[in-house]
Amino acid sequence: MLTQNPRNFEDVHGPLEALVVEQDTSSIRLRKLFHSLGLETVYLLFQEIRGHSAVEEKKIAVVVDLRSACYVSLLHLIPTSASVVLLVFNWRGYYIGGELSGPVGEDNLKFLGLQFAAKMLELLTMASLSTILFALVRRQLISNSVPLGAVTAGFKFDKISLLWSKEFVATCATRFSTSGQKFLLIATVIIFTILGATIGPSAAVAVQPVLRDWPAGVFPEKVLVSGRQSMRTMAARFKGPFIYQPELTAATAPSSAIADVVSQLERYFIANAHQCSVGKARFCYYKDMFFSVNAKQPVTYVRCSASDLNETVRFPRLDQGNGNYPLVKYNKSTIGSQQWFDVSTGQGSHPGLSWVELPQADFGQSSIGAVVALPWTDIAGKPGQVLACTIDARWADATATVSFLGGQMIASGSPTDWYTGGQLQLESNGSSSWPQVKIAPKWATSINPSIAEPSMSAFSVLCNSVGRFDNVSLAPSPINAVEAVLALMLTDGLAQTGSMAMILGSLKGLANYEWTNEMLPRGSVFGSGGSVFDYSYKAGDPSTKLVMETTVTGYGYGVTTAKLLSTIVLFIYSFIAMAYTVYSICYEKTTSSSWESITELIVLAMNSAPSSVLQNTGAGIATLKTLKEPVRIAVSDDQLQMIFEDGERLEKVAENRFYG
């Protein structure tokens, strides 16, 4: 005969036992509190000291009580709260500084502490998931039945091997009383097992701050193109006594105008110090700050071919691809003759340089040609040598950067793949990604003025500074030295284009520091700022819009691929735990700590009547059929037992009722 499930203690014990029930309720709630915190051993020791645990008493298997449900929710609240904090830190962003908070110079110890915290979060999360899975299995054991193989799912979900174990395979192959019951159990086991395998590394990644460059403000400005307030780093790749030998001598440097703009705007970042001084913490501590502008900058490629006097000079073509530089004769002038050589070198006193146009029909895509006369190239009696050099100059996309600690007026930057064939890249329409610069001989002559007497050009002075004897002709490889000098000269000349530019407009709200709010990220920890200068574009303004980006190097939390993946795992856990907590507190209000250990499950099985289903299983289970047998927990003679479907129909477990 099935009895109606009572909903409270008084329904079971009656009014004469109200005092006893109240005491039992307090004891149960206290035990639930310690159990939810994983401190049940402390409770048992406390009971041992008080002398209340000499004999096992009857216990309630399923408690329907709001306060007990709230106590159990503490186990979910702690790891969920920690996960939510990490989600906010990583998704919204949180900047720490040049080193982690705490004692200076002890970052290794702080990282160790964070790893311990991550491990603690993992353990609490696994305990939370275990409680939820046990609750699901226990509910189905009491209300219906589950396959024998699913009874121990709560003990094994922390191992990914559960998904191909015989117990789980048997569970999937079993016919449940309802398809919804089967789907819920199997889906929960799969999701919890995946979470069990990923929650540990995800917590370790999410809790660890990243040392990187963080966006600390982006603001657009209008500029012409300039060059008086900064120094620039010129990068070069040339042939020399190295293992690495580039096919083309190349050089690049940031535009002088852009470098000046970055250097000038970088000084305005005192806005950050102002925010710190008024208590609006921003980026008060850092390892370094970088200020950068994406803009075009020149890249120059040079390759020369040597010939003797009075021979036809031959220029290499540079547009045939890497490793293919055919020589093409130049027959349209007296260049290379003895007369030209004497005039160009001042009767053999210094190196000479002449610029020539190279027709595209013969020489392909090139910017300009240079013919260099080198006297005294051979001590055996040859009067000199002629070098025919083809020059390919480009405007390439690059980022000019100024470091706050590395030199506030030194700009550096270079295009991607600038010395490994970047000039050969094409757009989807077939045009070059880096526009080629067509250089007129007259402009090239202007960057090679006479700077010494008697009539020594800049090119000659640079050449004579090569080698130990102030003579490029005596260098180990004069042709390599000349290529380097030409690349540096032309790159610097192109970088000086428009060097008198200036920033248009004035600072917004100079008196009330309005402009300081525009420089720093707006509405978020990291990201873009506004416009610092009060300027409105006017038709015909010869200006270019540039965006300066500020990044700060330090520790912080933000979205990266690894952080995103790890926080998704924490989000899934948090959603499950919060949904379960709300459901158990607001709707079901049911809790239980029964059969959550292997020992308790063994004791329950030993107290149960034997079943023919388990015949010949004393030494192990070797068939899926046994693991597929439905099992449930029911009441027989006021005793809880684990029974199989082949047994007699017994009373269901009642809520808020004591059992032996």
Side-chain angles (χ1 to χ4, degrees):
M1 176 72 70
L2 299 178
T3 60
Q4 183 178 1
N5 294 342
R7 299 298 295 177
N8 53 62
F9 291 102
E10 286 74 12
D11 291 339
V12 179
H13 297 275
L16 295 179
E17 300 182 54
L19 180 59
V20 177
V21 169
E22 182 178 353
Q23 292 174 346
D24 288 336
T25 304
S26 301
S27 176
I28 291 171
R29 287 171 176 168
L30 184 61
R31 183 185 176 192
K32 286 291 180 186
L33 176 61
F34 278 89
H35 178 77
S36 64
L37 298 176
L39 300 173
E40 191 171 6
T41 302
V42 176
Y43 171 80
L44 295 177
L45 290 175
F46 178 69
Q47 293 292 87
E48 186 81 23
I49 294 173
R50 295 179 60 190
H52 291 175
S53 59
V55 179
E56 289 283 350
E57 300 176 351
K58 289 186 177 183
K59 305 172 188 66
I60 298 177
V62 180
V63 179
V64 178
D65 179 58
L66 177 60
R67 190 179 299 177
S68 296
C70 292
Y71 288 159
V72 173
S73 69
L74 292 176
L75 178 62
H76 311 296
L77 181 62
I78 297 173
T80 300
S81 300
S83 298
V84 170
V85 170
L86 290 177
L87 290 177
V88 173
F89 276 6
N90 285 282
W91 288 358
R92 186 180 182 275
Y94 180 78
Y95 181 74
I96 299 173
E99 66 174 55
L100 303 184
S101 302
V104 177
E106 296 292 341
D107 277 354
N108 289 335
L109 183 61
K110 300 169 194 174
F111 278 119
L112 179 62
L114 288 174
Q115 290 305 303
F116 278 123
K119 188 62 179 180
M120 184 63 66
L121 175 59
E122 177 191 359
L123 295 176
L124 290 173
T125 302
M126 295 300 293
S128 171
L129 292 173
S130 176
T131 299
I132 298 173
L133 186 54
F134 273 122
L136 175 61
V137 174
R138 182 169 46 237
R139 181 181 179 84
Q140 294 193 10
L141 275 170
I142 293 173
S143 60
N144 297 290
S145 62
V146 297
L148 178 61
V151 173
T152 58
F155 302 111
K156 295 184 175 181
F157 79 96
D158 59 338
K159 299 179 178 63
I160 195 69
S161 59
L162 171 63
L163 297 181
W164 53 83
S165 66
K166 59 184 180 181
E167 290 83 0
F168 184 69
V169 172
T171 301
C172 294
T174 302
R175 184 183 297 274
F176 283 63
S177 57
T178 65
S179 58
Q181 178 188 0
K182 178 178 181 179
F183 174 79
L184 178 60
L185 179 59
I186 293 177
T188 302
V189 171
I190 292 175
I191 293 173
F192 280 29
T193 302
I194 295 175
L195 287 176
T198 58
I199 201 75
S202 296
V205 171
V207 79
Q208 185 116 338
V210 178
L211 177 62
R212 55 168 287 191
D213 296 334
W214 301 98
V218 180
F219 44 98
E221 306 305 338
K222 294 279 185 175
V223 297
L224 298 172
V225 183
S226 118
R228 295 163 295 169
Q229 302 174 356
S230 66
M231 295 180 287
R232 292 160 293 122
T233 299
M234 182 175 291
R237 291 293 184 274
F238 53 88
K239 303 168 188 174
F242 316 114
I243 297 176
Y244 168 75
Q245 296 290 331
E247 295 180 349
L248 298 175
T249 298
T252 186
S255 167
S256 178
I258 301 302
D260 284 352
V261 168
V262 178
S263 178
Q264 185 174 354
L265 291 179
E266 178 260 351
R267 302 172 197 170
Y268 294 146
F269 208 70
I270 56 173
N272 178 63
H274 171 72
Q275 294 287 349
C276 292
S277 66
V278 297
K280 298 180 180 179
R282 284 289 182 151
F283 306 103
C284 304
Y285 304 98
Y286 45 84
K287 289 186 177 294
D288 203 351
M289 283 189 177
F290 297 92
F291 309 87
S292 57
V293 170
N294 294 327
K296 299 286 186 181
Q297 77 178 49
V299 184
T300 305
Y301 302 93
V302 181
R303 188 178 177 92
C304 298
S305 172
S307 61
D308 293 332
L309 280 177
N310 298 316
E311 289 185 356
T312 301
V313 297
R314 297 182 298 172
F315 288 89
R317 287 190 61 159
L318 306 185
D319 60 350
Q320 301 297 297
N322 290 330
N324 186 18
Y325 309 105
L327 301 179
V328 181
K329 292 182 178 180
Y330 187 82
N331 298 313
K332 299 185 178 180
S333 71
T334 60
I335 285 181
S337 65
Q338 182 68 55
Q339 180 182 2
W340 167 84
F341 185 88
D342 292 340
V343 172
S344 181
T345 61
Q347 302 299 321
S349 61
H350 55 74
L353 172 63
S354 297
W355 303 99
V356 297
E357 293 182 357
L358 298 179
Q360 182 174 340
D362 298 323
F363 299 93
Q365 293 287 340
S366 62
S367 298
I368 195 173
V371 185
V372 177
L374 292 182
W376 315 313
T377 52
D378 191 286
I379 59 175
K382 287 190 177 181
Q385 191 176 41
V386 178
L387 305 180
C389 305
T390 304
I391 295 156
D392 183 8
R394 306 274 180 154
W395 289 113
D397 296 316
T399 301
T401 301
V402 172
S403 166
F404 182 77
L405 299 180
Q408 300 181 26
M409 298 181 64
I410 303 175
S412 60
S414 56
T416 303
D417 298 329
W418 65 277
Y419 60 91
T420 55
Q423 75 277 18
L424 302 177
Q425 297 175 3
L426 300 177
E427 300 287 354
S428 57
N429 59 5
S431 61
S432 176
S433 299
W434 298 353
Q436 189 176 60
V437 183
K438 288 295 184 181
I439 300 175
K442 184 176 180 180
W443 182 89
T445 301
S446 69
I447 65 171
N448 185 32
S450 296
I451 59 174
E453 295 296 338
S455 187
M456 287 280 287
S457 67
F459 173 78
S460 298
V461 172
L462 288 173
C463 284
N464 285 338
S465 65
V466 176
R468 292 173 295 174
F469 303 102
D470 295 330
N471 190 330
V472 69
S473 301
L474 300 179
S477 178
I479 190 170
N480 294 343
V482 168
E483 288 180 356
V485 170
L486 290 174
L488 298 178
M489 280 183 58
L490 286 164
T491 299
D492 183 67
L494 291 171
Q496 295 287 349
T497 304
S499 58
M500 301 301 291
M502 64 181 66
I503 299 175
L504 302 180
S506 57
L507 290 174
K508 288 182 178 179
L510 184 60
N512 59 5
Y513 291 97
E514 177 186 350
W515 62 277
T516 62
N517 297 322
E518 299 287 335
M519 293 200 74
L520 297 169
R522 307 171 69 182
S524 62
V525 178
F526 308 118
S528 303
S531 183
V532 177
F533 293 92
D534 187 6
Y535 172 77
S536 298
Y537 176 77
K538 300 178 180 60
D541 278 353
S543 60
T544 300
K545 182 178 181 179
L546 299 173
V547 176
M548 190 180 89
E549 299 181 358
T550 302
T551 56
V552 57
T553 302
Y555 289 103
Y557 293 93
V559 177
T560 62
T561 301
K563 292 283 189 180
L564 180 60
L565 294 176
S566 63
T567 51
I568 287 176
V569 173
L570 294 179
F571 174 79
I572 293 173
Y573 159 72
S574 301
F575 177 80
I576 293 174
M578 292 175 67
Y580 174 78
T581 301
V582 171
Y583 175 77
S584 53
I585 291 178
C586 299
Y587 296 97
E588 193 173 59
K589 302 181 180 67
T590 299
T591 61
S592 176
S593 57
S594 301
W595 320 304
E596 288 190 358
S597 71
I598 295 178
T599 303
E600 292 182 350
L601 204 58
I602 292 174
V603 171
L604 175 65
M606 294 178 68
N607 285 328
S608 302
S611 172
S612 60
V613 171
L614 299 180
Q615 186 176 0
N616 300 325
T617 59
I621 299 175
T623 64
L624 291 180
K625 181 178 182 301
T626 303
L627 294 171
K628 290 166 61 176
E629 290 292 336
V631 63
R632 62 189 179 92
I633 296 176
V635 181
S636 176
D637 297 330
D638 205 31
Q639 286 281 118
L640 295 178
Q641 296 189 22
M642 185 181 295
I643 64 172
F644 290 89
E645 291 295 334
D646 66 337
E648 59 179 314
R649 299 289 294 178
L650 300 178
E651 177 186 346
K652 286 190 175 182
V653 179
E655 298 167 342
N656 291 340
R657 183 170 178 178
F658 288 88
Y659 292 102

